[in-house]
Amino acid sequence: MRTKIKLPDQRVLLFVLAVLLVIAVAATAVLLRQPSADTTAEAEASSGENFRLVVDGGIYMPNENRSLISSYRAEDTIRDALERSGIVRFDNEGRIASVDDTELHSELVWSVKQNGKEIPGDDFSARVQAGDEILLYIEAPGNDGAPVNTLLISGGELNPSLGGSYAHPYAEGTLVRDVLKASGLVTMSENDRNIRLVKANPDTQEGYMTKPRETWVLKVNGKELNPDRGFDMPLQPGDYVELTLERF
């Protein structure tokens, strides 16, 4: 004997489909109402509870760019806010010594703007207001806006503490080698064809010499150079030279 299977009534199917459609529309509406990460950050920064700290390394440190949202405290000065960020360190004279543990060459300085207004480099006593934007950026004040070539040194994963930068006034005919030698951070071999040692600061006595299977990789504007001919490459205004320690 065959068993007959009774199919659901068509009205029941239509009702189930309608319920599913309503659920799908409601879920979509909820998702659309959820703010994106960028929208949330904007809202937090402009709220009465927060302010924004922006770090802009510019051409001097192109990899140093970030935006942080910090909670607002009525008693905070700009210095308090920078110190609370956990990425800014001050020297004994009250000037910014380093950001993200990276010290600048003596020709470069970290400058600060509060809502677009420049803050004197030795006076960070102004109060932070809710919704403020505090901008940290790098300047080469001794160059009066003249073009420069920048040297960026990084020990990479092999030596994270080794890092430095240098701004070299541009002149026609400047070579990669010229920037390296003028920085005071790089010591070349006698024939100027190899790098002997590298320092994070020109005032330190000791430098770093590569170990077996380590090498210094040379780049200009992010493009790796031929190790034999890279030192002889002529630079253009604004070019930046990267020297990174890597393993081969």
Side-chain angles (χ1 to χ4, degrees), residues 154-163 208 245:
S154 172
E157 297 180 356
L158 300 177
N159 191 343
S161 63
L162 180 59
Y208 184 85
L245 184 64

Side-chain angles (χ1 to χ4, degrees), residues 40-240:
T40 302
E42 293 289 343
E44 288 179 350
S46 60
S47 74
E49 302 296 327
N50 301 284
F51 67 92
R52 181 190 298 276
L53 173 61
V54 178
V55 181
D56 182 5
I59 63 170
Y60 304 109
M61 298 182 67
N63 295 325
E64 188 60 68
N65 292 282
R66 65 164 77 185
S67 179
L68 305 174
I69 303 300
S70 297
S71 57
Y72 164 70
R73 297 193 313 191
E75 67 273 18
D76 273 358
T77 63
I78 292 178
R79 173 165 179 158
D80 295 332
L82 294 176
E83 288 183 323
R84 276 205 302 124
S85 72
I87 65 172
V88 180
R89 182 173 62 83
F90 288 84
D91 61 19
N92 294 331
E93 298 179 354
R95 297 180 180 275
I96 296 176
S98 66
V99 175
D100 275 343
D101 295 323
T102 299
E103 297 183 3
L104 300 177
H105 189 272
S106 58
E107 294 188 20
L108 298 175
V109 296
W110 282 105
S111 298
V112 178
K113 288 183 179 181
Q114 182 180 23
N115 301 324
K117 181 181 178 181
E118 190 168 346
I119 303 297
D122 57 353
D123 184 12
F124 298 109
S125 59
R127 295 286 182 182
V128 175
Q129 303 297 322
D132 275 359
E133 178 180 274
I134 307 300
L135 172 65
L136 263 172
Y137 63 102
I138 300 174
E139 283 190 310
N143 293 310
D144 296 325
V148 298
N149 295 123
T150 308
L151 171 63
L152 308 172
I153 293 176
S154 172
E157 297 180 356
L158 300 177
N159 191 343
S161 63
L162 180 59
S165 59
Y166 165 71
H168 181 76
Y170 172 78
E172 187 175 355
T174 298
L175 305 179
V176 169
R177 180 187 295 101
D178 299 329
V179 175
L180 296 177
K181 295 179 67 174
S183 69
L185 305 175
V186 180
T187 301
M188 306 286 293
S189 61
E190 292 185 3
N191 63 1
D192 284 345
R193 307 306 302 179
N194 295 286
I195 295 173
R196 287 188 58 244
L197 57 86
V198 176
K199 300 188 293 185
N201 190 306
D203 300 324
T204 58
Q205 297 298 321
E206 298 182 357
Y208 184 85
M209 299 185 68
T210 55
K211 300 174 182 177
R213 300 195 62 78
E214 290 182 353
T215 187
W216 287 105
V217 175
L218 197 60
K219 298 180 181 180
V220 170
N221 301 332
K223 183 178 180 180
E224 187 171 340
L225 303 183
N226 184 296
D228 297 323
R229 301 188 300 272
F231 298 117
D232 300 318
M233 177 179 174
L235 297 172
Q236 299 299 316
D239 282 351
Y240 63 92

